[in-house]
């Protein structure tokens, strides 16, 4: 499959990747290109910004969660029938699982998918010193995939001379620059950027950004380089994840509002393709669960920011409690896991009653408790032993009892700990799950929902 594509990456976090990616996506959409976007790695929030720009869901491509063939297959599946695919890198370009590995980083994804990369180089306060930085990134790995440079935070007056200097000294094109833009900043919170809906006049800001980039980037050159990307070989990798569909469609209540909004879109698609009907509901705004549900899916998000609203919606808390204690299967990840506790103590020390499935409390620790990829072993997922399951944790809150159903192991080093509460009808814990990490995960959840459906009917 021929997919025109490129990645925007940088030497470090905080270099403007998301801002530039959103501006480029806006510019491409404005010019009539059918575009799809991807985020490298497990981040939820950056794809939300991409989605706001394009009006279509952005997705993740993760070389830790999925095998290389799977990553390429998901790229091909989700980039079919578009003009160009744009990827946003993660952290620094060569950063990966640890100090000794670039695996699961931006460079790994670029190499896995043979994607041309435009590297953002911070250039404020420098001139000739930019040269060793550019040359170092180009020479660090045999297959760096870097096909162009974008200078960040330089003036329109200085840019032409810096472009000439770099292209004279190093065999790489400079395809544009991003000047200092004071009114388009994207603020951060402890899990990443603030949510798109929290930014006033976001669309106006993105339009102003696109106006600037239309003058400062050589978009035609970028698109031409994207067109040089080799074809993606189609294979049958994804068929292993579609081998079992449910003839009786199960209805799964999907928590979807301001508090629960961290989705892997490929997870949602896979459940639907396997025969599930996902029924959105809001634990904040709705008084009751949707009717005739066979399962619940409580995603991660920011329940701590909506403690009052979640707590004061007593009828919904009671409905969720009654459903779960009545045997309805539930998949509760991170924020959803927190929602099932007795009480949540937020960052200000205020305590809010939650659903109460678990008698313990969760509280804000003031520090990053767990961060990064893990592999879950030794446990069962909805009553089935599935082997290793790759997952991800990122949370500042902790539980008095986070569970011990699985052994969570870091992919590098020797660190491990017990995690997750699990039964035949429950997965509840801080690790976020990605169904394309194990072909048996989604069917196991749906089997539990189908079994509940048969019992209730």
């Amino acid at each position: 499959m021929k997919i025109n594509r490129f990645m925007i990456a940088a030497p470090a976090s905080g270099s403007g990747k998301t801002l530039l990616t959103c501006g480029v996506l806006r510019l491409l959409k404005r010019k009539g290109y059918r575009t799809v976007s991807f985020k490298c790695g497990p981040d939820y929030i950056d794809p939300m910004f991409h989605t706001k720009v394009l009006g279509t869901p952005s997705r993740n491509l993760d070389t830790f969660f999925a095998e290389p063939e799977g990553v390429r297959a998901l790229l091909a599946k989700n980039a079919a029938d578009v003009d160009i695919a744009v990827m946003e890198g993660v952290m620094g370009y060569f950063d990966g699982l640890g100090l000794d590995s670039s695996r699961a980083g931006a460079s790994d994804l670029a190499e896995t998918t043979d994607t041309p990369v435009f590297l953002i180089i911070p250039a404020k306060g420098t001139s000739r010193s930019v040269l060793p930085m550019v040359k170092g990134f180009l020479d660090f790995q045999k297959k760096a995939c870097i096909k162009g440079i974008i200078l960040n935070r330089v003036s329109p007056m200085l840019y032409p001379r810096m472009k000439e200097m770099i292209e004279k000294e190093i065999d790489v094109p400079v395809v544009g620059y991003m000047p200092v833009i004071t009114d388009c900043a994207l603020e951060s919170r402890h899990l990443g950027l603030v949510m798109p809906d929290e930014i006033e006049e976001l669309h106006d800001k993105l339009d102003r950004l696109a106006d600037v980039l239309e003058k400062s980037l050589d978009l035609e050159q970028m698109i031409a380089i994207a067109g040089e990307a080799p074809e993606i070989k189609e294979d049958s990798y994804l068929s292993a994840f579609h081998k079992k569909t449910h003839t009786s469609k199960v209805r799964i209540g999907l928590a979807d509002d301001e508090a629960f909004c961290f989705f892997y879109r490929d997870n949602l698609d896979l459940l639907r393709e396997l025969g599930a009907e996902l029924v959105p509901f809001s634990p904040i705004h709705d008084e009751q669960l949707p009717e005739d549900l066979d399962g619940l899916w409580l995603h991660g998000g920011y329940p701590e920011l909506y403690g009052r609203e979640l707590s004061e919606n007593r009828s919904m808390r009671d409905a969720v409690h009654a459903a779960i204690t009545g045997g309805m299967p539930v998949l509760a990840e991170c924020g959803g896991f927190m929602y099932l506790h007795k009480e949540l103590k937020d960052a200000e020390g205020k305590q809010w009653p939650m659903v109460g499935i678990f008698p313990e409390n969760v509280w804000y620790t003031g520090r990053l408790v767990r961060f990064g990829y893990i592999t879950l072993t030794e446990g069962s997922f909805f009553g089935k032993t599935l082997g290793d399951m790759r997952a991800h944790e990122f949370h500042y809150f902790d539980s008095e009892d986070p569970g011990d159903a699985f052994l969570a192991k870091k992919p590098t080093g020797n660190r491990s700990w017990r995690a997750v509460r699990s039964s035949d009808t429950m997965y509840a814990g801080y690790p976020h799950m990605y169904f394309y990490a194990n072909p048996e995960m989604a069917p196991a959840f749906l089997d539990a929902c189908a079994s509940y459906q048969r019992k209730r009917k």
Side-chain angles (χ1 to χ4, degrees):
M1 179 182 292
K2 177 60 176 172
I3 303 171
N4 297 339
R5 59 193 183 275
F6 63 78
M7 175 189 290
I8 294 175
S13 296
S15 299
K17 291 191 298 291
T18 301
L19 188 65
L20 179 60
T21 302
C22 287
V24 169
L25 291 173
R26 191 69 151 197
L27 190 54
L28 288 167
K29 182 179 181 181
R30 179 187 291 179
K31 291 183 176 295
Y33 288 94
R34 296 171 300 165
T35 309
V36 66
S37 63
F38 299 91
K39 173 66 180 182
C40 172
D43 182 89
Y44 292 99
I45 300 175
D46 289 354
M48 293 182 190
F49 280 90
H50 301 178
T51 298
K52 285 291 182 180
V53 174
L54 293 176
T56 55
S58 178
R59 300 170 190 278
N60 297 74
L61 290 174
D62 194 300
T63 54
F64 174 77
F65 283 152
E67 298 300 324
E69 313 89 75
V71 172
R72 290 189 289 268
L74 288 168
L75 169 61
K77 173 188 175 186
N78 292 316
D81 302 320
V82 302
D83 299 316
I84 192 163
V86 177
M87 304 177 194
E88 180 186 344
V90 60
M91 299 176 65
Y93 182 57
F94 290 112
D95 296 333
L97 294 180
L99 295 177
D100 59 349
S101 174
S102 294
R103 185 189 169 201
S107 63
D108 190 28
L109 177 61
E111 292 178 26
T112 297
T113 58
D114 279 320
T115 295
V117 175
F118 297 116
L119 187 70
I120 307 171
I121 295 293
K124 183 179 180 180
T126 68
S127 57
R128 193 168 176 79
S129 295
V130 165
L131 293 172
M133 183 182 299
V134 173
K135 187 168 179 56
F137 273 88
L138 289 172
D139 294 345
F140 180 68
Q141 282 186 188
K142 184 177 181 181
K143 187 179 180 182
C145 297
I146 298 170
K147 302 299 181 183
I149 300 298
I150 298 173
L151 299 177
N152 190 17
R153 300 178 69 82
V154 298
S155 70
M157 293 181 61
L158 182 58
Y159 169 70
R161 287 180 286 163
M162 294 195 71
K163 171 180 169 67
E164 181 181 9
M165 173 191 70
I166 293 170
E167 292 181 339
K168 180 180 178 181
E169 299 274 354
I170 304 172
D171 185 23
V172 63
V174 180
V175 299
Y177 70 101
M178 188 162 65
V180 176
I181 307 173
T182 58
D183 62 345
C184 293
L186 303 179
E187 298 178 9
S188 296
R189 185 182 281 124
H190 56 258
L191 294 185
L193 296 172
V194 299
M195 305 298 283
D197 290 338
E198 297 178 71
I199 299 177
E200 294 184 8
E201 302 177 345
L202 175 61
H203 287 285
D204 290 341
K205 288 185 176 183
L206 293 173
D207 281 332
R208 292 196 296 273
L209 176 60
D211 290 340
V212 171
L213 296 180
E214 188 168 15
K215 300 175 182 177
S216 68
L217 293 179
D218 188 341
L219 190 64
E220 289 186 4
Q221 186 179 18
M222 294 174 68
I223 292 171
I225 293 173
E228 297 172 0
E231 292 185 355
I232 294 289
K233 294 182 179 180
E234 297 183 70
D235 59 41
S236 59
Y237 181 88
L238 297 185
S239 62
F241 294 84
H242 296 84
K243 61 186 180 182
K244 183 177 182 180
T245 58
H246 282 265
T247 54
S248 59
K249 180 169 287 189
V250 296
R251 284 170 51 88
I252 298 174
L254 179 71
D256 184 3
D257 60 17
E258 304 93 311
F260 304 99
C261 50
F262 289 176
F263 303 105
Y264 289 128
R265 293 290 172 181
D266 286 318
N267 280 355
L268 306 186
D269 290 348
L270 181 57
L271 285 194
R272 292 188 179 106
E273 290 161 7
L274 292 178
E277 178 185 358
L278 302 183
V279 187
F281 73 97
S282 170
I284 291 179
H285 304 290
D286 296 337
E287 294 182 358
Q288 294 293 329
L289 289 170
E291 295 182 354
D292 298 323
L293 293 182
D294 305 305
L296 285 177
W297 196 356
L298 306 174
H299 275 277
Y302 282 122
E304 65 269 27
L305 300 182
Y306 302 94
R308 177 186 294 277
E309 292 87 343
L310 291 169
S311 181
E312 290 180 349
N313 192 349
R314 181 61 183 268
S315 62
M316 177 57 76
R317 290 195 288 121
D318 289 345
V320 172
H321 189 280
I324 295 174
T325 55
M328 183 181 292
V330 58
L331 176 56
E333 305 165 288
C334 203
F337 174 55
M338 292 163 57
Y339 181 54
L340 297 185
H341 282 68
K342 179 181 178 182
E343 288 188 345
L344 184 155
K345 182 187 288 187
D346 64 20
E348 298 177 352
K350 296 179 181 178
Q351 292 184 260
W352 305 107
M354 293 288 114
V355 173
I357 292 296
F358 308 128
E360 295 81 15
N361 300 326
V362 291
W363 76 98
Y364 179 65
T365 66
R367 61 181 178 84
L368 191 55
V369 181
R370 303 285 187 202
F371 168 68
Y373 294 112
I374 56 173
T375 299
L376 298 177
T377 64
E378 299 184 4
S380 62
F381 189 70
F382 291 97
K384 297 183 179 181
T385 302
L386 308 183
D388 292 353
M389 299 191 302
R390 299 167 194 163
H392 185 269
E393 285 196 40
F394 196 138
H395 53 99
Y396 282 72
F397 282 70
D398 207 352
S399 167
E400 292 174 346
D401 184 1
D404 61 359
F406 288 86
L407 178 68
K409 299 196 301 184
K410 296 291 288 183
T412 60
N414 299 315
R415 290 182 57 209
S416 64
W417 59 90
R418 306 302 303 189
V420 181
R421 298 186 179 208
S422 177
S423 71
D424 290 354
T425 59
M426 175 184 290
Y427 169 96
Y430 278 111
H432 291 275
M433 312 307 292
Y434 185 74
F435 289 154
Y436 281 102
N438 185 312
E440 302 299 329
M441 289 172 62
F445 179 37
L446 295 186
D447 284 347
C449 295
S451 176
Y452 176 78
Q453 182 188 69
R454 291 191 293 270
K455 291 177 182 177
R456 72 181 181 87
K457 290 185 175 180

